């Protein structure tokens, strides 16, 4: 008899770790870390972490609406011209609204085929470069842009386990980087602000031939190297 194990498909997303960025004396904004964990076949990459700002969420919603006119998209938390960057309450409320928006989007199967959604969630590209990549106007594909974003990803569940282990070993009063306050990013090594250098090196990095990639793979897995 054959035993078949059925694994339920899931897509988990977290919006957390707000960080204040100051461009100059007059322009300041906040980015939020988006962590994705899934076993869905719709996603080439099963875990990822990127940073996005509120205006990029607004752009994404408009693009998704244009590409799926018959679908009523979920609402974003409303924009506030008097948004206080020093208010933990306002930041937390907006962050929760952004997460609820993404959760609702990811529960809509038709939207999962939109390449802009995948670039938004799993690449550090800017708005202009996401548009260009989705339209085939770049030297790299959507899949390559997503695969290029490499970094250590730690999810809230893992952090909770680490905190519990730490408390069991010692009575330290360490501050944790959670979604309730401002902290340092522990996500993707390539940030949104870095996509200029990221894209300049793209055309060179993907010039390696398939034969070279297979050769490297076979060498690394050979018994002699082990």
């Amino acid at each position: 008899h054959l035993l078949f194990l059925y694994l339920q498909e899931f897509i988990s997303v977290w919006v957390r770790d707000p960080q204040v960025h100051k461009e100059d004396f007059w322009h300041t904004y906040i980015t939020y870390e988006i962590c994705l964990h899934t076993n869905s076949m719709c996603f080439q990459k099963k875990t990822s972490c990127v940073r996005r700002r509120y205006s990029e969420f607004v752009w994404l919603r408009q693009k998704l609406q244009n590409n799926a006119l018959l679908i009523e998209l979920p609402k974003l938390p409303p924009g506030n011209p008097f948004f206080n960057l020093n208010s933990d309450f306002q930041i937390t409320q907006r962050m929760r609204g952004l997460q609820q928006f993404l959760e609702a989007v990811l529960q809509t199967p038709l939207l999962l085929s939109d390449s802009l959604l995948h670039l938004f969630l799993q690449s550090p590209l800017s708005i202009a470069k996401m548009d260009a990549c989705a339209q085939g106007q770049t030297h790299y594909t959507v899949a390559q842009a997503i695969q290029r974003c490499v970094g250590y990803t730690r999810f809230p569940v893992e952090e909770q386990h680490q905190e519990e282990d730490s408390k069991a070993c010692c009575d330290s009063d360490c501050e944790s980087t959670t979604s309730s306050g401002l902290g340092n990013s522990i996500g993707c090594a390539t940030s949104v602000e870095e996509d200029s250098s990221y894209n300049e090196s793209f055309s060179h990095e993907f010039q390696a031939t398939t034969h070279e990639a297979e050769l490297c793979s076979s060498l690394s897995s050979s018994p002699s190297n082990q």
Side-chain angles (χ1 to χ4, degrees), residues 125-126 129 138 140 194-203:
L125 296 182
S126 65
K129 289 170 183 174
T138 55
Y140 46 88
E194 291 174 341
D195 36 48
S196 58
S197 59
Y198 161 93
N199 286 291
E200 289 172 1
S201 63
F202 233 137
S203 57

Side-chain angles (χ1 to χ4, degrees), residues 46-73:
K46 304 308 180 185
T47 59
S48 62
C49 237
V50 296
R51 300 196 70 85
R52 296 292 180 192
R53 56 190 294 185
Y54 177 78
S55 59
E56 292 175 305
F57 279 86
V58 175
W59 169 86
L60 174 66
R61 187 183 187 279
Q62 185 60 54
K63 286 293 183 178
L64 292 177
Q65 189 66 81
N66 293 343
N67 295 339
L69 298 176
L70 300 179
I71 296 179
E72 184 177 354
L73 287 176

Side-chain angles (χ1 to χ4, degrees), residues 14-17 31-36 45 47-53 56-57 102 117-125 145-146 149-150 153 185-192:
W14 296 269
V15 178
R16 60 174 199 163
D17 188 23
T31 62
Y32 305 90
E33 187 178 50
I34 304 173
C35 293
L36 184 77
K45 202 168 188 177
T47 59
S48 62
C49 237
V50 296
R51 300 196 70 85
R52 296 292 180 192
R53 56 190 294 185
E56 292 175 305
F57 279 86
L102 288 180
L117 175 63
H118 290 260
L119 289 170
F120 177 88
L121 291 173
Q122 298 195 300
S123 85
L125 296 182
I146 291 172
C149 182
V150 179
T153 303
S185 171
I186 50 175
C188 181
T190 311
S191 64
V192 175

